[in-house]
Amino acid sequence: QTMPFYHTLVTNPPYSADHKERSFEFCVRNLRLEGEKKKKFFLLLPNYVATKDYYRRIIAGDQGNESEDIVYIVPSSSYEYDHPEGTGHNKSPFFSIWFCGIGADMVTKAKQLYQININSKSSSNSPKLATSIKELEDMGIIRAEKRLNPRQRRKLKQKNATGTCPNSFLFGNNTRNKWWEFWKQ
C-alpha cells in the first residue's frame, strides 16, 4: 500500500477502537523522520488522550522523556459535534484540543508568535498554547489523576443516591453538567 504525498496532515480521526493510538503512531513516526521527509501534523482529539498511557509512550520515543516537538492548542470555546440521528451524544462529553506535531525547531517560534498574538489582544477569550502535558495539567485542561472507569463512576453515583458519597457535589439535579465541569477543571 502506497502513501500519497503530503506535507502536513490535518484531521479529526475516528475515536473508536484503536484509531487514536494508530493515528498518533503514524503521525509521530513521520514527524520524526530526517530532513525533508519530516511530516507535520494537527490532530483534533479529546483532551483525555493526553492522559493515556499509549499517548505518553508514543511521544516519549526512544528517550523515554516527553518530546519537545509537539504543542497543544486549546480552543477558547468547546467544539460542538453533529452526529447522524440516533448516534452519539447531544453534547460532547469531552473537550477537544489540537495536538500539533510541528517539530522541535518550530516550538520556540510557535511560543513567540503566540505571545505576540496574545499581547496584541485585549480579550482573554483566546485559544491557549501549551508545550507540555504538565502545562495542560496546570491550565486545568487535563487531570493528573486517572478518571474513574464507568463501573466506578456508576458505583459512586449509587452511593450519592444513598447520601454516603463524599463527592455528592458531583451529582445534583444536573449530573452530566456537574460531572463535565468537574472533569474540565
Side-chain angles (χ1 to χ4, degrees), residues 6-13 27 40-44 98-99:
Y6 71 97
H7 179 270
T8 302
L9 177 65
V10 180
T11 188
N12 179 5
C27 289
K40 294 174 175 63
F41 67 84
F42 296 83
L43 299 179
L44 180 63
W98 286 97
F99 293 75

Side-chain angles (χ1 to χ4, degrees), residues 16-94:
S16 58
D18 64 347
H19 290 105
K20 296 182 300 279
E21 182 175 358
R22 289 178 36 219
S23 295
F24 269 114
E25 286 173 341
F26 174 83
C27 289
V28 170
R29 181 176 59 249
N30 285 288
L31 175 67
R32 296 185 178 154
L33 294 172
E34 294 298 319
E36 296 295 318
K37 294 181 180 179
K38 182 184 293 190
K39 308 290 187 189
K40 294 174 175 63
F41 67 84
F42 296 83
L43 299 179
L44 180 63
L45 288 165
N47 61 335
Y48 65 78
V49 170
T51 67
K52 296 295 186 184
D53 291 338
Y54 70 79
Y55 176 70
R56 293 175 187 227
R57 174 185 45 80
I58 292 167
I59 65 169
D62 298 333
Q63 303 84 14
N65 299 324
E66 184 176 356
S67 67
E68 296 180 0
D69 52 1
I70 298 173
V71 297
Y72 309 90
I73 298 176
V74 181
S76 55
S77 61
S78 181
Y79 290 151
E80 298 295 326
Y81 296 93
D82 290 330
H83 299 279
E85 191 171 326
T87 65
H89 298 276
N90 290 336
K91 289 195 171 208
S92 179
F94 52 81

Side-chain angles (χ1 to χ4, degrees), residues 144-159:
E145 310 87 47
K146 289 217 179 239
R147 183 178 182 207
L148 300 175
N149 66 39
R151 183 177 176 199
Q152 292 167 323
R153 292 193 308 266
R154 194 169 35 254
K155 191 173 183 178
L156 187 61
K157 190 174 183 178
Q158 289 170 346
K159 279 186 180 181

